């Protein structure tokens, strides 16, 4: 008997349900799709009997909304029936009578299709749509996105949506044809390099590994020699056409997908691919490597220069401890001399006698001529000690400057000329700088060292150029060809002819002109200024007072009822004890989140689900694959098996999809509604120390001490669900990453208001949040010292004058309004990530008008927020509660990641990011499971006749872990055995 090979499912069960079932109606959805026009009402009134009228209205609106009719036994949501019934003055309970008459329903549906021009999917239309879908599949191979696009196109063309199986076959075909098209384009670019690409997979006789394998491995620790090793690898990659202009024909998402596949495949595995596919994957990986290596080299130079500057600061501090006493004594003497001169002039005394009364003249002359002491003073400047690092920088500076082509803004042309002067000197093998080298870029702190006695000090000139180069790369004043991170700002934005078209496709409500924006904001600003001014003057603001030009906010008292603590203990006693393996298995039974972890190449789900769950636990518990293989009781689950699953199934996109399933599940639980409606969130960074090999890749931040670390930056909803997380370096500001979580999470949460602490706030974040449609509400430290900005001079608001910084520069925003809109559309469209763009804008110097306009826009929004903060105790309390939920989540995260002494030992940022996603997925599962368990405990209390005060439920938290066994041996039991005695939520 022949066994037919089944096609792997393209969509998960939850995704298929999303495309086939009527969506949960919201007020916005009902208003948009189920509001009846006068023409609709007239058409409906032609039907006899109320049941037919209501049924006809249902068929009409569902057809226009979803592009299909109702299936047999498919009932519309009650909210839809109520909404339509209100417009028709018909009771919703009339609908069942209509639903029972199948003939009438089909007649009405056929009549509606003919009336509005809908047609069935014929063979010719099927072929047309398949051809239409191929270019879309070239952009993204993701089945969910392709299915969404296909459904939208069916509705646009008024083609009745067929069965989901038909649509999945169309998507599968489009993905296959798109892959062929991509391989063909890449094959054209690499023509003539086929043999060289194949040779990358072969092991040379005198080496231990294939060049392709060696390219995957490079040193990440910042050392001069490691920069040279990276440059060597980059030069090998550049032997191929990795910067060919024809690559622009392919979307970055497609190249990134191929590159991700190539990153995980070994040389032997790639050798088994068909030639066209094999070379496409290798070349895409080389294109990605060229950008990654470029950024890694420049990042390493940045880290090295920073480390040398820190070393010089420490050496300077040590020098001061040894010799600083003599300097202080000398400065005190000169201070007294200056005081004597001032007094002599005021009292018309002889200045020389005044000086000699402090210090004998001969001693003063000797002190002035004491060049040794003067030189000693110079040694206290950190830049003096920096010369000790010159030879280290010189090891790689020549190669670095020769490797890259730099471009600059007009303001940074002098620095670019200096870079070119050094390149020329290196290329010609000279040891002396060319005559008339550029000096205009040199800042004041460098001048005394670079120019000595009207001569250029070559060492300091080179150090100055290399340091200014790293700063200019950060700010975007200088950019590099072939970089992903250090590109021209213009390359990150949508082209000027295209962005307005994209604006129409996005859920943004950006005013057409600045005047439209300012008309509404000005009225609100004036209202709030008057409200706060009057409130301060009359003492009417709650817990806010003004004294001597300063505003004081009295902290609000804790508003938790005393009954909460004993009530919480009662519930905790009823929670079943559970092993973490059983909890994960039960959450998978409820949510099927493991279906999201598909194999990178085939898209198949793993056959042995408990093996995948073990790999997830290894990440989530911070245990590591080797230790997990030792701790698990199943002998089939070996370290090698877990490594395979980690390489091919655990990716950032699969983690995000799985996290979304868990978060969506929790948001649907009745108890979660007491904690929030899912429209509010907070975010914060949690620092983890890095240990083992990871210590070399951690970053220092004085805020957290002298040990290197990494931050896991997490967004948590008002329902205690962590819906987005990422690993970020500890030496950058949290504010740069606030928008990523709001824009790029995949859950169904509709976040409208977001909270952070002081580290998450900048004026630019205020501006971007507003134009993107989010209400930003940070808890700013020393808020009362934060200055306001107004359209009028401070004198126009006498009560608030001490709080007002300056008048707003509205003209600057007006001049850049269209560019601000283009910036917003580019971020929302995904042309550039919000965090990357925010980091570029934050680093720009003051002369960049777009960055300054965004800051000025943010000052308007920050002023509005500050005024509301002063006048609204409800806002202050809401933000406080929101941030407390994030703090509680940190405690659970710390408990979950207890293994390895709580240290993160992953070597790369990518591995650290997967660790962060794994930990937060487990945290989200615990939060969701506890939500269900708490609800069951509440139901049990009610059955036992105990009182459950509803006003106490908002004060509960699902973030406890005392009843969960997180450590010990790990084993998987049959699902029925592992289920504790709690009710299973309905699907």
């Amino acid at each position: 008997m022949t066994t037919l090979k089944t096609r792997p499912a393209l969509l998960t069960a939850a995704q298929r349900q999303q495309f086939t079932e009527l969506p949960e109606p919201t007020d916005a959805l009902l208003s948009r799709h189920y509001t009846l026009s006068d023409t609709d009402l007239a058409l409906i009134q032609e039907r006899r009997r109320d049941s037919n009228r209501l049924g006809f209205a249902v068929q009409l609106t569902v057809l226009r909304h979803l592009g299909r009719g109702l299936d047999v036994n498919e009932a519309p949501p009650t909210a839809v029936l109520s909404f339509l019934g209100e417009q028709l003055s018909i009771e919703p309970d009339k609908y069942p009578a209509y639903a029972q008459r199948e003939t009438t329903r089909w007649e009405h549906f056929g009549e509606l299709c003919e009336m509005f021009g809908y047609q069935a999917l014929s063979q010719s239309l099927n072929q047309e749509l398949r051809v239409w879908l191929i270019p879309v599949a070239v952009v993204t191979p993701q089945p969910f996105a392709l299915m969404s696009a296909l459904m939208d196109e069916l509705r646009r063309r008024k083609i009745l949506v067929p069965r989901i199986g038909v649509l999945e076959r169309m998507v599968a075909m489009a993905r296959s044809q798109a892959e062929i098209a991509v391989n063909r384009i890449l094959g054209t670019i690499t023509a003539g390099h086929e043999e060289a690409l194949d040779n990358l997979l072969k092991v040379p006789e005198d080496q231990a590994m294939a060049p392709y394998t060696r390219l995957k491995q490079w040193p990440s620790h910042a050392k001069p020699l490691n920069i040279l090793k990276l440059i060597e690898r980059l030069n090998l990659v550049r032997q191929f056409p990795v910067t060919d202009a024809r690559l622009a024909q392919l979307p970055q998402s497609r190249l990134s997908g191929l590159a991700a596949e190539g990153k995980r495949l070994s040389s032997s595995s790639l050798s088994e691919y068909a030639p066209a596919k094999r070379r496409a994957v290798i070349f895409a990986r080389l294109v990605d490597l060229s950008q990654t290596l470029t950024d890694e080299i420049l990042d390493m130079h940045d880290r090295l220069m920073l480390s040398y500057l820190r070393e010089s600061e420490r050496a300077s501090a040590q020098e001061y401890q040894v010799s600083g006493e003599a300097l202080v004594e000398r400065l005190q003497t000169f201070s007294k001399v200056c005081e004597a001169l001032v007094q002599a002039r005021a009292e018309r005394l002889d200045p020389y006698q005044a000086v000699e009364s402090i210090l004998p003249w001969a001693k003063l002359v000797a002190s002035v001529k004491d060049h040794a002491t003067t030189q000693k003073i110079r040694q206290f400047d950190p830049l003096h000690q920096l010369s000790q690092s010159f030879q280290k920088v010189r090891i790689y500076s020549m190669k670095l400057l020769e490797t890259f082509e730099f471009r600059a803004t007009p303001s940074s042309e002098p620095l670019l000329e200096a870079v070119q002067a050094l390149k020329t000197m290196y290329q010609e093998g000279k040891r002396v700088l060319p005559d008339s080298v550029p000096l205009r870029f040199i800042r004041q702190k460098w001048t005394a060292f670079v120019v000595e006695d009207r001569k250029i000090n070559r060492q300091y000139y080179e150090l100055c150029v290399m340091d200014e180069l790293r700063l200019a790369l950060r700010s975007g004043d200088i950019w590099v060809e072939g970089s992903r991170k250090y590109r021209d700002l213009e390359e990150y934005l949508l082209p000027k002819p295209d962005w307005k078209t994209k604006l129409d496709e996005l859920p943004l409500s950006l005013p057409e002109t600045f005047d439209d924006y300012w008309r509404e904001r000005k009225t609100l600003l004036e209202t709030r200024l008057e409200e706060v001014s009057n409130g301060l003057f009359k003492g009417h603001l709650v817990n806010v007072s003004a004294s001597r030009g300063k505003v004081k906010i009295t902290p609000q008292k804790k508003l938790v009822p005393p009954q909460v603590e004993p009530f919480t203990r009662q519930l905790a006693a009823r929670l079943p004890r559970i092993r973490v393996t059983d909890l994960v298995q039960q959450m998978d039974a409820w949510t099927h989140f493991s279906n999201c972890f598909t194999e990178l190449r085939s898209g198949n789900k793993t056959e042995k689900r408990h093996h995948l769950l073990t790999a997830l636990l290894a990440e989530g518990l911070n245990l590591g694959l080797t230790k997990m293989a030792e701790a698990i009781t199943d002998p089939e689950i070996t370290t090698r098996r877990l490594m395979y699953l980690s390489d091919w199934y655990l990716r950032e996109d699969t983690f995000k999809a799985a996290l979304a399933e868990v978060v969506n599940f929790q948001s649907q639980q009745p108890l979660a509604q007491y904690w929030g409606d899912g429209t509010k969130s907070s975010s914060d960074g949690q620092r983890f120390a890095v240990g083992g090999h990871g210590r070399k890749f951690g970053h220092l931040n004085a805020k957290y001490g002298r040990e290197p670390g990494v931050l896991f930056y997490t967004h948590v909803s008002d329902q205690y669900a962590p819906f987005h997380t990422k690993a970020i370096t500890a030496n950058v500001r949290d504010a740069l990453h606030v928008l990523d979580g709001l824009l790029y999470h995949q859950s169904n949460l509709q976040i409208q208001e977001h909270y952070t602490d002081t580290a998450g706030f900048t004026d630019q974040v205020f501006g971007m949040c507003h134009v993107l449609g989010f209400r930003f509400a940070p808890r700013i430290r020393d808020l009362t010292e934060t200055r306001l900005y107004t359209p009028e001079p401070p004198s126009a608001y006498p009560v608030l004058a001490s709080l007002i910084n300056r008048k707003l520069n509205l003209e600057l925003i007006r001049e850049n309004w269209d560019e601000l809109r283009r910036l917003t559309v580019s971020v929302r469209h995904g042309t550039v990530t919000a965090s990357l763009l925010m980091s570029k804008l934050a680093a720009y110097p003051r002369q960049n008008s777009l960055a300054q306009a965004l800051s000025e826009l943010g000052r308007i929004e920050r002023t509005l927020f500050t005024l509301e903060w002063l006048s609204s105790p409800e806002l202050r309390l809401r933000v406080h509660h929101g941030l407390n939920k994030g703090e509680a989540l940190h405690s659970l995260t710390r408990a979950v990641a207890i293994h390895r002494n709580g240290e993160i030992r992953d070597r790369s940022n990518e591995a650290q990011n997967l660790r962060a996603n794994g930990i937060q997925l487990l945290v989200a599962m615990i939060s969701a499971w506890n939500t269900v368990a708490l609800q069951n405990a509440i139901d049990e209390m009610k059955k036992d006749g105990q009182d459950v005060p509803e006003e106490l439920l908002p004060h509960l938290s699902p973030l406890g872990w005392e009843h969960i066994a997180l450590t010990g041996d790990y084993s998987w039991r049959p699902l029925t055995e592992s289920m504790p005695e709690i009710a299973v939520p309905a699907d």
Side-chain angles (χ1 to χ4, degrees):
M1 180 177 178
T2 304
T3 302
L4 294 176
K5 187 176 180 180
T6 59
R7 182 190 299 273
L10 286 175
L11 302 174
T12 66
Q15 290 173 335
R16 203 175 280 114
Q17 182 180 358
Q18 187 170 338
F19 286 115
T20 55
E21 294 188 2
L22 286 165
E24 188 67 27
T26 62
D27 289 343
L29 184 143
L30 291 171
S31 175
R32 182 175 181 181
H33 297 289
Y34 293 88
T35 299
L36 301 172
S37 66
D38 292 340
T39 304
D40 296 335
L41 292 170
L43 189 62
I44 293 167
Q45 293 304 326
E46 294 177 6
R47 314 298 130 185
R48 293 182 300 161
R49 293 190 293 273
D50 284 350
S51 59
N52 281 359
R53 294 190 189 98
L54 182 58
F56 191 84
V58 169
Q59 296 252 47
L60 167 65
T61 50
V62 168
L63 178 62
R64 284 198 305 219
H65 177 203
L66 302 178
R68 65 176 178 84
L70 291 172
D71 290 335
V72 178
N73 299 324
E74 183 181 16
T78 303
V80 169
L81 291 175
S82 299
F83 189 73
L84 292 172
E86 287 178 10
Q87 298 174 75
L88 297 170
S89 299
I90 299 174
E91 292 298 322
D93 59 10
K94 298 288 186 182
Y95 181 78
Y98 175 81
Q100 293 171 2
R101 292 192 287 271
E102 188 173 339
T103 303
T104 303
R105 288 195 299 110
W106 279 111
E107 288 177 355
H108 283 175
F109 183 68
E111 184 180 342
L112 285 168
C113 288
E114 184 177 354
M115 189 180 304
F116 292 105
Y118 281 85
Q119 56 184 320
L121 180 67
S122 63
Q123 186 172 355
S124 59
L125 288 173
N126 187 311
Q127 184 61 34
E128 283 182 29
L129 283 167
R130 290 185 179 203
V131 173
W132 172 86
L133 193 57
I134 292 173
V136 183
V138 168
V139 175
T140 174
Q142 298 301 323
F144 184 86
L146 291 174
M147 185 66 74
S148 298
L150 179 56
M151 296 279 270
D152 289 342
E153 185 65 11
L154 284 166
R155 291 163 186 152
R156 191 185 69 81
R157 297 191 187 194
K158 293 188 175 181
I159 299 173
L160 294 173
V161 176
R163 299 189 315 276
I164 191 69
V166 175
L167 299 177
E168 283 190 305
R169 287 193 292 273
M170 294 172 69
V171 168
M173 184 282 304
R175 294 176 79 211
S176 175
Q177 292 298 315
E179 182 177 326
I180 293 171
V182 169
N183 293 347
R184 186 183 301 116
I185 294 172
L186 293 178
T188 303
I189 296 172
T190 57
H193 295 272
E194 293 87 353
E195 185 177 355
L197 287 169
D198 290 339
N199 287 339
L200 288 176
L201 305 181
K202 299 176 181 177
V203 181
E205 293 182 0
D206 58 340
Q207 295 182 21
M209 63 180 68
Y212 185 79
T213 304
R214 191 163 63 88
L215 278 172
K216 293 182 177 182
Q217 305 169 1
W218 65 71
S220 298
H221 188 41
K223 289 182 179 179
L225 289 178
N226 285 347
I227 287 186
L228 296 181
K229 292 177 182 178
L230 292 175
I231 290 175
E232 177 190 353
R233 282 168 172 75
L234 180 59
N235 288 334
L236 173 60
V237 170
R238 285 180 172 178
Q239 293 175 14
F240 300 89
V242 291
T243 58
D244 193 292
R246 288 171 290 180
L247 286 169
Q249 300 175 27
L250 293 174
Q252 185 60 46
S253 57
R254 172 62 71 167
L255 284 172
S256 297
L258 287 171
E261 186 173 348
K263 186 175 183 178
R264 286 169 170 79
L265 282 167
S266 65
S267 298
S268 58
S269 298
L270 264 174
S271 300
E272 298 173 3
Y273 274 28
K277 176 65 181 293
R278 177 178 68 241
R279 291 164 189 158
V281 171
I282 295 173
F283 182 63
R285 175 63 178 146
L286 293 178
V287 172
D288 178 73
L289 268 174
S290 70
Q291 298 176 345
T292 302
L293 287 169
T294 296
D295 293 346
E296 184 69 19
I297 292 166
L298 297 174
D299 282 345
M300 194 174 288
H301 163 63
D302 187 292
R303 299 203 301 272
L304 277 175
M305 288 302 301
L306 276 175
S307 68
Y308 297 151
L309 287 167
R310 290 196 186 105
E311 287 174 9
S312 65
E313 288 172 0
R314 288 194 292 269
S316 175
Q318 292 172 359
E319 184 68 30
Y320 182 79
Q321 289 176 353
V322 174
S323 309
E325 187 176 340
L327 172 66
V328 171
E329 183 179 344
R330 191 177 189 197
L331 287 174
Q332 289 174 343
T333 301
F334 284 147
S335 178
K336 291 178 181 178
V337 168
C338 292
E339 288 177 6
L341 288 172
V342 171
Q343 184 178 2
R345 177 167 182 175
E347 299 178 5
R348 299 179 180 276
L349 301 176
D350 186 331
Y352 298 109
Q353 290 180 356
V355 169
E356 288 194 274
S357 68
I358 302 297
L359 184 69
W361 190 259
K363 193 173 182 179
L364 176 63
V365 173
S367 178
V368 171
K369 293 183 177 181
D370 185 359
H371 296 294
T373 304
T374 303
Q375 187 63 27
K376 204 72 175 176
I377 294 173
R378 178 186 171 97
Q379 291 177 10
F380 297 149
D381 191 316
L383 289 182
H384 175 80
Q385 307 293 337
L386 187 62
S387 62
Q388 304 298 318
S389 303
F390 172 73
Q391 292 302 329
K392 298 176 186 177
V393 176
R394 192 66 193 277
I395 289 173
Y396 70 85
S397 59
M398 178 174 68
K399 282 288 187 183
L400 185 144
L401 297 184
E402 287 178 349
T403 300
F404 301 112
E405 287 296 324
F406 299 97
R407 299 285 183 269
T409 60
S411 62
S412 291
E413 283 293 337
L415 176 57
L416 191 60
E417 292 170 7
V419 169
Q420 189 58 48
L422 288 188
K423 288 175 71 172
T424 302
M425 184 184 76
Y426 293 151
Q427 290 168 356
E428 295 177 355
K430 294 181 179 179
R431 301 177 63 85
V432 180
L433 287 168
D435 295 334
S436 65
V437 291
L439 300 175
R440 285 185 296 158
F441 69 93
I442 299 174
R443 288 181 290 160
Q444 186 175 359
K445 72 172 188 176
W446 285 93
T447 303
F449 294 91
V450 174
V451 182
E452 294 181 299
D453 299 327
R454 298 185 179 180
K455 293 182 180 179
I456 305 297
N457 183 307
R458 183 177 64 85
Q459 287 191 3
Y460 276 110
Y461 188 85
E462 291 189 42
L463 287 169
C464 179
V465 170
M466 298 303 290
D467 189 52
E468 291 296 323
L469 177 61
R470 77 171 181 89
L471 293 173
L473 284 167
R474 276 190 179 191
S475 70
D477 282 341
I478 283 185
W479 60 92
V480 178
E481 300 292 337
S483 170
R484 181 185 296 114
K485 182 177 179 180
Y486 300 104
R487 291 157 56 191
D488 181 16
L489 177 64
E490 189 66 26
E491 294 183 37
Y492 292 116
L493 306 181
L494 285 166
K496 290 185 177 180
D498 300 342
W499 73 267
K500 288 189 178 180
T501 303
K502 297 296 182 184
L503 174 59
D504 297 334
E505 303 171 2
L506 297 173
L508 293 171
S509 57
L510 285 169
E512 185 73 21
T513 67
F514 170 74
D515 291 331
D516 294 335
Y517 159 83
W518 180 237
R519 192 178 299 113
E520 184 265 334
R521 303 313 272 175
K522 181 183 179 183
T523 302
L524 181 59
L525 182 57
E526 289 174 346
T527 301
R528 287 190 180 166
L529 282 167
E530 183 178 357
E531 177 184 342
V532 173
S533 182
N534 290 337
L536 282 175
F537 182 72
K538 297 177 181 179
H540 289 173
L541 299 183
V542 179
N543 293 330
V544 178
S545 59
S547 176
R548 297 180 181 179
K550 287 192 174 182
V551 175
K552 180 181 179 182
I553 301 178
T554 304
Q556 291 171 280
K557 295 181 180 179
K558 196 173 183 180
L559 299 177
V560 178
Q563 303 93 325
V564 169
E565 188 173 346
F567 178 59
T568 302
R569 285 199 300 269
Q570 282 183 289
L571 286 176
R574 291 176 177 268
L575 294 181
R577 298 195 63 80
I578 187 169
R579 298 162 61 179
V580 68
T581 46
D582 295 341
L583 184 149
V584 169
Q585 195 167 219
Q586 192 167 50
M587 282 304 305
D588 190 40
W590 290 344
T591 67
H592 311 293
F593 71 83
S594 64
N595 290 340
C596 300
F597 292 94
T598 55
E599 207 259 8
L600 177 64
R601 293 165 295 184
S602 65
N604 292 338
K605 294 174 286 188
T606 181
E607 294 179 358
K608 296 185 176 180
R609 185 166 300 189
H610 63 291
H611 288 201
L612 174 69
L613 297 181
T614 305
L616 288 175
L617 268 184
E619 292 285 349
L621 292 169
N622 194 32
L623 186 57
L625 302 178
T626 302
K627 291 294 183 184
M628 177 55 78
E630 295 172 358
I632 198 75
T633 57
D634 188 338
E636 287 187 4
I637 305 178
T638 62
T639 301
R640 182 166 294 181
R641 172 65 175 165
L642 293 179
M643 291 175 65
Y644 166 78
L645 291 167
S646 178
D647 281 346
W648 291 104
Y649 289 84
L650 308 190
R651 307 183 299 277
E652 185 175 3
D653 61 314
T654 56
F655 268 117
K656 283 185 176 181
L659 182 63
E661 294 290 339
V662 175
V663 171
N664 292 342
F665 168 82
Q666 181 178 355
S667 69
Q668 294 165 4
Q669 303 311 307
L671 184 58
Q673 309 309 312
Y674 286 94
W675 302 325
D677 58 4
T679 63
K680 301 173 185 65
S681 64
S682 66
S683 61
D684 191 21
Q686 183 175 17
R687 181 185 180 275
F688 286 85
V690 292
H693 293 290
R695 285 184 62 84
K696 298 179 181 179
F697 313 110
H699 292 264
L700 297 174
N701 187 330
K703 174 182 176 182
Y704 303 108
R706 302 188 63 82
E707 290 299 312
V710 62
L711 285 183
F712 289 175
Y713 195 71
T714 303
H715 288 62
V716 58
S717 75
D718 53 6
Q719 298 172 331
Y720 291 99
F723 60 89
H724 185 271
T725 191
K726 64 186 295 191
I728 63 175
T729 56
N731 59 353
V732 300
R733 188 163 183 176
D734 298 3
L736 302 179
H737 302 275
V738 167
L739 283 164
D740 280 5
L742 299 178
L743 292 172
Y744 309 133
H745 72 91
Q746 296 184 8
S747 73
N748 294 336
L749 298 174
Q750 300 296 319
I751 302 300
Q752 299 171 15
E753 184 171 87
H754 186 71
Y755 318 125
T756 70
D757 60 12
T758 300
F761 130 77
T762 65
D763 287 338
Q764 291 183 342
V765 174
F766 262 110
M768 283 301 297
C769 280
H770 177 74
V771 294
L772 286 166
F774 301 107
R775 175 176 163 77
F776 186 47
R779 182 175 62 192
I780 304 173
R781 190 188 308 115
D782 300 325
L783 180 75
T784 55
E785 296 182 8
T786 300
R787 295 295 177 238
L788 308 179
Y789 295 81
T790 57
E792 304 296 336
S795 57
Y797 309 95
V799 177
L800 299 174
S802 61
L803 297 177
I804 297 174
N805 188 317
R806 62 167 173 80
K807 184 179 176 181
L808 286 163
N809 187 352
L810 301 178
E811 195 56 38
L812 177 65
I813 309 176
R814 181 178 284 106
E815 291 171 356
N816 288 274
W817 185 251
D818 266 358
E819 282 301 284
L820 285 170
R821 295 170 75 214
R822 182 161 77 110
L823 181 76
T824 307
V825 174
S826 299
V827 170
R828 198 68 180 86
H829 184 262
T831 306
V832 57
T833 62
S835 55
L836 176 56
L837 192 61
M838 295 303 291
S839 66
K840 300 293 285 186
L841 293 172
Y844 269 150
R846 292 186 59 81
Q847 62 264 28
N848 184 276
S849 61
L850 179 58
Q852 287 302 300
L854 182 60
S855 296
E856 202 70 15
L857 181 71
R859 289 179 185 123
I860 295 175
E861 298 305 322
R862 174 160 64 89
T863 298
L864 285 166
F865 165 74
T866 303
L867 292 169
E868 184 178 3
W869 182 273
L870 294 172
S871 62
S872 173
E874 294 80 12
L875 173 62
R876 299 197 294 270
L877 186 62
R878 200 162 66 240
V879 173
H880 178 72
H881 284 170
L883 290 174
N884 281 353
K885 291 178 180 180
E887 291 294 334
L889 189 86
H890 286 344
S891 299
L892 175 57
T893 302
R894 188 69 67 183
V896 164
I898 193 173
H899 289 290
R900 296 175 168 181
N901 298 319
E903 296 176 340
I904 303 302
R905 299 184 180 179
D906 303 285
R907 302 191 184 191
S908 67
N909 179 257
E910 181 184 16
Q912 290 173 351
N913 204 44
L914 288 180
R915 181 76 61 191
N917 279 275
I919 291 171
Q920 287 306 330
L921 176 60
L922 181 55
V923 167
M925 284 191 274
I926 291 173
S927 179
W929 190 91
N930 281 342
T931 302
V932 177
L934 284 169
Q935 182 66 63
N936 276 265
I938 291 169
D939 294 342
E940 287 177 4
M941 288 181 67
K942 291 178 178 178
K943 288 178 183 178
D944 293 343
Q946 296 188 43
D947 181 38
V948 180
E950 193 166 351
E951 65 272 13
L952 300 184
L953 299 184
H955 299 282
L956 298 178
S957 166
L959 301 182
W961 67 89
E962 294 82 0
H963 55 293
I964 303 171
L966 295 170
T967 58
D969 288 336
Y970 300 102
S971 62
W972 302 104
R973 297 182 289 174
L975 198 60
T976 53
E977 293 181 16
S978 67
M979 290 287 189
E981 294 297 325
I982 64 174
V984 181
D987 289 338

